[in-house]
Amino acid sequence: QSPDTERALVARVIDGDTIELADGRVVRYLGINAPETVHPERPVECFGPEASAKNKELVQGKVVELQRGSEEIDRFGRSLRYVHFGGVFVNAELVAEGYARPYIFDPDDRYSQVLVQLGQWAKLRGHGLWGVCD
C-alpha cells in the first residue's frame, strides 16, 4: 500500500459514482460521471438506476482501496478518489461497461487518458448508456 492509498469499508452506495464509507466520509469517484439518481435539483437520468446498481454490486459492504488523484476534495466536501477492489479498477470498469462517462478536469492526472480511451471504446460498442440514452 503506497502513501497515496488507504483501505476503507464502503457502508453504502449513494449513486453510480459516489459512496459513503463506514467512517461517514463521502467519496466521489475521480475521472468519471455517472447519470444522476439522487441529485436534489435534477430528475433521475437515463441509465442512472443501472449505474447505481452496478456500483453496489462492485463495492457495497466491501473493503476497497482508495487512491488519491491530484484533487483531494470537491466543492461539496466529498473526498475525490480512484477506487479499487479485488483487482478491479472500479472507476475504469464503470466507464468501460457504459455505466459512466469519462469526466476529466485534470488531463495530467494519472488515469485520464485510460478513462477517455475506455469511454470511446464503450461508446463505439454501444455499451450501457451509450446504447440506450441520447
Side-chain angles (χ1 to χ4, degrees), residues 12 20 23 30 32 39 49 67 76 79 94-96 102 120 126:
R12 80 183 171 105
E20 184 180 344
D23 65 10
L30 265 170
I32 74 170
H39 195 285
Q67 185 177 27
F76 303 108
S79 298
L94 291 167
V95 170
Q120 291 168 339

Side-chain angles (χ1 to χ4, degrees), residues 32-107:
I32 74 170
N33 191 30
E36 296 293 346
T37 56
V38 295
H39 195 285
E41 291 139 28
R42 290 198 204 134
V44 172
E45 292 178 346
C46 179
F47 224 68
E50 292 86 345
S52 291
K54 182 62 175 180
N55 197 19
K56 268 185 191 157
E57 176 192 316
L58 290 168
V59 302
Q60 182 142 316
K62 298 175 180 169
V63 175
V64 296
E65 193 164 279
L66 302 168
Q67 185 177 27
R68 284 184 180 83
S70 54
E71 298 280 317
E72 177 71 22
I73 290 184
D74 72 5
R75 61 193 174 104
F76 303 108
R78 301 175 297 190
S79 298
L80 297 169
R81 298 290 186 272
Y82 295 109
V83 180
H84 305 266
F85 176 77
V88 173
F89 178 15
V90 177
N91 309 51
E93 180 79 4
L94 291 167
V95 170
E97 296 297 322
Y99 292 100
R101 293 177 173 88
Y103 180 68
I104 308 302
F105 46 81
D106 182 357

